[in-house]
Amino acid sequence: MANQTFQRILISGGGTGGHIFPALSIAAAITRRNPNVKILFVGALGRMEMERVPAAGYQIVGLPVAGFDRKRLWRNIPVLFKLWRSMRQARRIVREFQPQIAIGVGGYASGPTLKAAQRAGVPTLLQEQNSYAGVTNKLLAAKAEAICTAYPGMERFFPAEVITLTGNPVRAALFQVDLTPQQAKQALGFDPNRPLILVVGGSLGARTINTCIAQGLDTLLDGHSQLLWQTGVAGQQIGIDATKGRADVRATAFISDMATAYRAADLVVSRAGAGTISELQLLGKPTILVPSPNVAEDHQRKNALALADNHAASMILDADAHAKLVPEIHRLISDSDARKSLSENILKMALPNADERIVDAAEQIILKHQKSK
């Protein structure tokens, strides 16, 4: 029987996959409870949510909002005009759609959308993926009725009484793999009996990681291990040039089957985006994190530090990667006990069923408001 609590839900945010995937996961969890629910997304025009959300079967409206240029302040006059237009449009969306609750996942669009909802008396729920809160969520926090976080200790950013530790939603497909690690290696074309290093730098790739791997291949692949290297589009040529004639490495711009890649991997090297970290925690993967220095509030370094402080991952700063990354990969791929310790510790930090926990919090807010009317 459908859960009739959920009728009209507004979800806003995006800009990156790290914001879009949690939003879609939350929408899917709501839809499982009531297949007849009406869900409206609000995103930023020109950003990837304008394609990803309709592809997942949901309606989306785009705002002309854009991010502030913090280094060249004179460029922000058009940004302020776009923000004013976005606020006007967001007020109209809230007035016409009349949502029971507005859920914000971070990103440019969630600011004006949730601010408009709060001014209209619509209850709001925020989902904060990172260990260091984003600017938009910090600005919205004072009037939010619930803030769902992925890390403990977020009282330094948000009112303690509205925080719920839920974790970040992750792709269900990652857990729907019946292969053993050995079978997964074979499926990917690798020797099932040799340890496999998985390097992932995101869809665009990570230049520092790619350069380090290209220069350190002979050290890494000394006859004992093998490498699956996701270069990203920008690093594709680097991978092609570095791996010519080698059977122990496969470089590819994009890995379509991450579930099998994760299952096959004995060690993962990755950036420190919140969504990726949540996946690695739930899968219990021994990991080296190389946080990107090119993100707001340096939040990737803070995400990685939260794991490193708990001996749940190894952290190599981007600036240190050329000197330290390849030796650290070689150390861990050669030490199964060290990998086992990292695996056990990262698994302890996992928070499963985050999408359902977030929807539980949304349901409680809706029910509370229904009773007060």
Side-chain angles (χ1 to χ4, degrees), residues 89-116:
Q89 191 172 339
R91 285 197 294 270
R92 186 173 71 250
I93 290 167
V94 170
R95 185 172 63 248
E96 293 176 356
F97 186 65
Q98 296 189 329
Q100 298 165 286
I101 189 171
I103 299 172
V105 297
Y108 300 145
S110 65
T113 304
L114 267 75
K115 179 61 71 176

Side-chain angles (χ1 to χ4, degrees), residues 286-316:
T287 302
I288 300 171
L289 295 171
V290 186
S292 170
N294 306 312
V295 293
E297 286 93 37
D298 199 20
H299 69 249
Q300 284 207 8
R301 183 182 65 82
K302 289 154 187 167
N303 290 346
L305 198 58
L307 272 70
D309 284 347
N310 285 284
H311 307 289
S314 176
M315 180 178 77
I316 303 289

Side-chain angles (χ1 to χ4, degrees), residues 199-364:
V199 174
V200 286
S203 58
L204 298 178
R207 181 180 297 177
T208 300
I209 295 176
N210 284 339
T211 304
C212 291
I213 296 299
Q215 294 173 350
L217 273 181
D218 289 333
T219 302
L220 287 179
L221 306 176
D222 54 5
H224 300 292
S225 56
Q226 44 199 345
L227 171 68
L228 176 56
W229 178 12
Q230 186 250 307
T231 64
V233 176
Q236 190 169 13
Q237 193 59 48
I238 293 175
I240 291 170
D241 292 342
T243 59
K244 280 179 182 174
R246 302 197 70 131
D248 51 1
V249 56
R250 187 175 130 221
T252 177
F254 181 72
I255 298 173
S256 57
D257 187 358
M258 279 302 300
T260 300
Y262 274 142
R263 180 60 58 90
D266 295 278
L267 176 67
V268 179
V269 180
S270 173
R271 287 303 200 190
T276 299
I277 286 180
S278 293
E279 292 174 353
L280 294 165
Q281 287 172 332
L282 287 160
L283 293 167
K285 285 293 168 182
T287 302
I288 300 171
L289 295 171
V290 186
S292 170
N294 306 312
V295 293
E297 286 93 37
D298 199 20
H299 69 249
Q300 284 207 8
R301 183 182 65 82
K302 289 154 187 167
N303 290 346
L305 198 58
L307 272 70
D309 284 347
N310 285 284
H311 307 289
S314 176
M315 180 178 77
I316 303 289
L317 294 179
D318 195 87
D320 298 332
H322 288 284
K324 296 181 178 180
L325 180 57
V326 168
E328 181 67 355
I329 296 172
H330 191 267
R331 180 185 75 84
L332 286 173
I333 204 64
S334 305
D335 188 343
S336 59
D337 289 338
R339 295 200 308 274
K340 183 182 178 185
S341 177
L342 287 177
S343 177
E344 290 171 350
N345 290 336
I346 198 171
L347 199 54
K348 289 174 187 174
M349 297 184 72
L351 292 165
N353 305 315
D355 52 354
E356 296 293 342
R357 295 182 193 215
I358 293 165
V359 175
D360 285 342
E363 183 172 11
Q364 292 305 310

